[in-house]
Amino acid sequence: MTMPKLPDLITPWWMDGTTLADNTQPQEPAMLVQGTQSFWQKITDWLTWPLSQQSALTCSEDVLGLLAWENSVVRFSNEPLWLYRRRVHFAYVNTLDAGSMAGFKRILSRFDIDVLATYERQEGRDWDIVSIELADNELVTSDVLLATLIQDFGRTCRRYEHTTTNTAAIEISAAEYHCNYDTEVAQ
């Protein structure tokens, strides 16, 4: 959120400190205008500071802790600050999306975790197991994040498992091969 800038105080030309000045030093009325402008800018900054602390993405770390407490977000160990800010920022929206698979996919996409596929009620398995298929590179960077998101926003009556898919290019060539074998047995 950008705060409006105070308008500059404009003095008449005979008091601007440069038009009628004999030397390069600023004159008395110009210094007074600059001091007044600085004072009112500082007062404006003090009054608008609470407005700049409402977003979890830009607030101070102390206020971020209060916002996290308000949204029931607990920082896990070694969590980077940018990720913690995003978890706090999206906490309310994630709570609204929790409970459905489409909402769970939206929750994961907010944290740049690409879900390749989800499988529910698979044949030959317990009905409450949900398999989430991720790309191989996703699991390395967000293993703890994924476990936290499943714990916080997954369905309470389901068990979640995540699998990874790694694609690799394989080349097979065919060639003709000849050889002769002799087997001799000695007694």
Side-chain angles (χ1 to χ4, degrees):
M1 170 182 273
T2 58
M3 300 300 157
K5 187 180 180 302
L6 280 179
D8 291 332
L9 297 175
I10 300 172
T11 56
W13 63 273
W14 64 87
M15 293 174 63
D16 67 359
T18 57
T19 304
L20 297 177
D22 294 336
N23 55 12
T24 59
Q25 298 295 326
Q27 301 300 310
E28 196 71 28
M31 289 172 52
L32 183 62
V33 167
Q34 290 172 356
T36 305
Q37 181 78 29
S38 173
F39 172 76
W40 284 112
Q41 184 61 50
K42 190 173 287 190
I43 295 296
T44 303
D45 292 344
W46 288 343
L47 292 174
T48 57
W49 181 81
L51 295 175
S52 67
Q53 300 301 309
Q54 291 182 351
S55 173
L57 298 176
T58 59
C59 68
S60 67
E61 283 194 57
D62 295 331
V63 175
L64 180 65
L66 294 174
L67 291 173
W69 173 80
E70 182 179 54
N71 290 310
S72 300
V73 175
V74 178
R75 188 173 187 176
F76 54 83
S77 62
N78 299 328
E79 181 178 16
L81 182 62
W82 65 269
L83 181 58
Y84 184 52
R85 286 185 183 277
R86 285 181 76 180
R87 286 183 51 226
V88 172
H89 180 72
F90 291 122
Y92 179 73
V93 180
N94 288 345
T95 303
L96 294 177
D97 278 342
S100 68
M101 284 312 295
F104 195 67
K105 286 181 184 179
R106 285 192 299 269
I107 290 170
L108 294 177
S109 69
R110 287 184 190 111
F111 296 99
D112 301 326
I113 299 174
D114 293 327
V115 176
L116 299 178
T118 56
Y119 304 104
E120 291 185 90
R121 301 183 188 266
Q122 302 169 46
E123 191 70 32
R125 300 194 70 192
D126 291 340
W127 66 271
D128 62 337
I129 295 176
V130 176
S131 295
I132 302 170
E133 186 176 348
L134 304 170
D136 189 34
N137 57 351
E138 295 292 333
L139 191 60
V140 173
T141 59
S142 54
D143 190 22
V144 177
L145 174 64
L146 183 63
T148 304
L149 292 176
I150 288 173
Q151 179 182 355
D152 291 343
F153 305 112
R155 293 182 185 173
T156 56
C157 61
R158 296 294 176 98
R159 291 182 287 169
Y160 288 86
E161 67 180 13
H162 49 86
T163 58
T164 59
T165 301
N166 190 0
T167 57
I170 298 175
E171 294 183 19
I172 299 175
S173 60
E176 191 171 330
Y177 178 74
H178 294 285
C179 89
N180 293 328
Y181 288 103
D182 283 337
T183 305
E184 301 199 19
V185 179
Q187 294 207 4

